[in-house]
Amino acid sequence: MTGFLTRTRGRGRMDVTDILTWAWLILGTLVIAIPIGWAVLSSFKPEAEINSFPPTLLPHATQELTIEGHDKPLPAYAFTDESGETRIVGLVRRVGLKATVVDPENPGERFSVPADSLTKEQGLHLQWSNYTEPLEKFAFLTYFKNSVFVTVVATVMTLVLNSMAAFALSKYRFRGSTTIFVLILSTLMLPLSVIMVPAFMVVVGLNLANNLWGVIFSTVATPTGVFLLRQYMLTIPDDLIEAARVDAASEFRIYWRIMLPLSAPALAVLAIFSVIWRWNDFLWPLIVLSSPENYTLQLGLNAFQGQFTVQWHYILAMTVLALLPVTIIFMFLQKYITEGVASSGVK
């Protein structure tokens, strides 16, 4: 790894292309990593801290004082009096330009001070309740289970159906194969908004509305998957198939024991794409599903957004949890991406 990172075009020195390459890679990494890092750090902030301006990078929270005579802890503020002495007081209430505070050393006496003379006492604080409260108050685990079911089943069916179609289009010679392939690719130009109504009518006709299977069946056949696998299978020598046929292997055995193992890199790439598509899909589940118990994770996150308020602290925390499965899958299968994509365009 070290040798790869320190390799240069020049002999022992940095070339201008090396500098431009590193600058571009660092810039791209920062553009991708900064928003993710900001979301992760903000998921640990209290709700008031998220809405504060100017925003802060690290999660902070106002320190609190437990003062005798007050049922709840009071927010701590630094107060500077006319003599220049600074002391920590608890804020009782604030009205306009005046604030009522109490000194912890003299809890029985309240006094009024100018609000601009108070400075909030803050410290580093991780608001773990952003993660625990949604799990207790909302059906987050139900949404998570539904998303896992839809993603896993749809991905398996996508790999099987698309690989079968790719095997037929790449290794069988029949009249109209090119036309069928072109028609499949032409569907890439049709956005979901165009076929949304007829697709939903089909789902309703099959009595799959408000059913997770209605979300799954409508998305398993993807032209991208057929194209990716077909182009990769074209690189597999036909002699292997002919040899298997000479040994009396059935067509399904050839597909299952020869084509699928040899197409593992392309299948891994398609699996990553499929997981990302299904896991992040929002519009189609929103159309098909109507009962909260059938909601996927993306629909569940939308439940934190009300008509007048948006619970950003919950949304950010649950979004971080929603990113973890896709990130883990990508880490395990990332080595196949470059190989699979590069090989799929070579015949």
Side-chain angles (χ1 to χ4, degrees):
M1 179 63 70
T2 303
F4 174 78
L5 294 176
T6 57
R7 186 170 55 186
T8 61
R9 288 180 177 270
R11 296 182 178 179
R13 59 185 180 86
M14 293 286 288
D15 188 70
V16 63
T17 56
D18 297 320
I19 298 176
L20 293 176
T21 301
W22 275 106
W24 179 254
L25 290 176
I26 293 174
L27 177 62
T29 302
L30 292 177
V31 169
I32 296 174
I34 288 178
I36 297 177
W38 185 276
V40 173
L41 292 175
S42 297
S43 68
F44 291 100
K45 295 180 180 179
E47 184 178 7
E49 183 70 16
I50 294 177
N51 298 323
S52 64
F53 186 84
T56 58
L57 177 62
L58 297 177
H60 292 88
T62 303
Q63 297 182 1
E64 296 181 336
L65 297 175
T66 302
I67 301 178
E68 183 181 354
H70 296 272
D71 298 333
K72 297 181 180 180
L74 300 179
Y77 282 80
F79 168 62
T80 304
D81 56 19
E82 297 178 354
S83 62
E85 181 183 358
T86 301
R87 49 181 172 163
I88 304 299
V89 296
L91 178 64
V92 178
R93 62 177 175 270
R94 176 176 177 175
V95 180
L97 301 178
K98 291 293 184 178
T100 302
V101 298
V102 60
D103 191 343
E105 298 179 357
N106 189 12
E109 180 181 354
R110 301 182 181 183
F111 55 96
S112 179
V113 299
D116 56 2
S117 65
L118 298 176
T119 303
K120 186 183 297 184
E121 287 290 304
Q122 290 185 323
L124 186 63
H125 175 74
L126 300 180
Q127 191 78 6
W128 291 103
S129 61
N130 293 346
Y131 288 86
T132 58
E133 289 182 0
L135 298 179
E136 298 172 355
K137 299 179 180 180
F138 301 93
F140 178 81
L141 294 179
T142 300
Y143 304 150
F144 187 85
K145 179 188 66 175
N146 293 338
S147 286
V148 170
F149 176 77
V150 170
T151 301
V152 172
V153 175
T155 298
V156 172
M157 295 181 66
T158 296
L159 295 179
V160 173
L161 293 179
N162 286 270
S163 60
M164 287 182 176
F167 175 53
L169 292 173
S170 62
K171 296 305 179 183
Y172 290 166
R173 301 293 180 263
F174 57 93
R175 181 177 300 179
S177 60
T178 303
T179 303
I180 294 175
F181 181 62
V182 172
L183 289 176
I184 292 175
L185 290 183
S186 64
T187 59
L188 286 171
M189 297 181 289
L190 298 176
L192 177 61
S193 56
V194 175
I195 62 175
M196 186 167 52
V197 174
F200 180 70
M201 293 177 64
V202 172
V203 171
V204 173
L206 295 175
N207 198 25
L208 293 177
N210 194 27
N211 193 308
L212 293 178
W213 289 104
V215 178
I216 295 172
F217 288 150
S218 305
T219 58
V220 293
T222 60
T224 303
V226 174
F227 172 77
L228 182 70
L229 295 177
R230 175 187 179 273
Q231 296 303 106
Y232 191 92
M233 288 182 180
L234 287 174
T235 64
I236 300 176
D238 294 339
D239 295 341
L240 292 176
I241 299 177
E242 296 300 330
R245 287 171 179 164
V246 170
D247 292 339
S250 63
E251 296 300 314
F252 181 80
R253 188 179 183 86
I254 294 173
Y255 158 77
W256 189 259
R257 301 297 296 272
I258 297 178
M259 300 302 295
L260 286 186
L262 294 178
S263 303
L267 290 172
V269 174
L270 181 58
I272 294 174
F273 288 162
S274 179
V275 168
I276 294 175
W277 294 336
R278 317 307 181 218
W279 190 263
N280 295 328
D281 194 10
F282 174 79
L283 181 57
W284 184 243
L286 179 64
I287 296 171
V288 176
L289 305 175
S290 57
S291 300
E293 61 270 14
N294 292 329
Y295 280 178
T296 58
L297 190 56
Q298 304 306 322
L299 297 182
L301 291 176
N302 190 54
F304 296 116
Q305 180 176 350
Q307 184 177 0
F308 301 103
T309 59
V310 180
Q311 298 171 305
W312 289 113
H313 55 306
Y314 290 156
I315 292 178
L316 289 171
M318 295 302 99
T319 299
V320 171
L321 292 182
L323 287 174
L324 290 179
V326 178
T327 304
I328 294 174
I329 292 175
F330 178 81
M331 291 175 60
F332 279 102
L333 299 180
Q334 62 176 333
K335 63 180 180 179
Y336 294 108
I337 292 180
T338 303
E339 179 184 353
V341 174
S343 301
S344 297
V346 180
K347 181 177 180 180

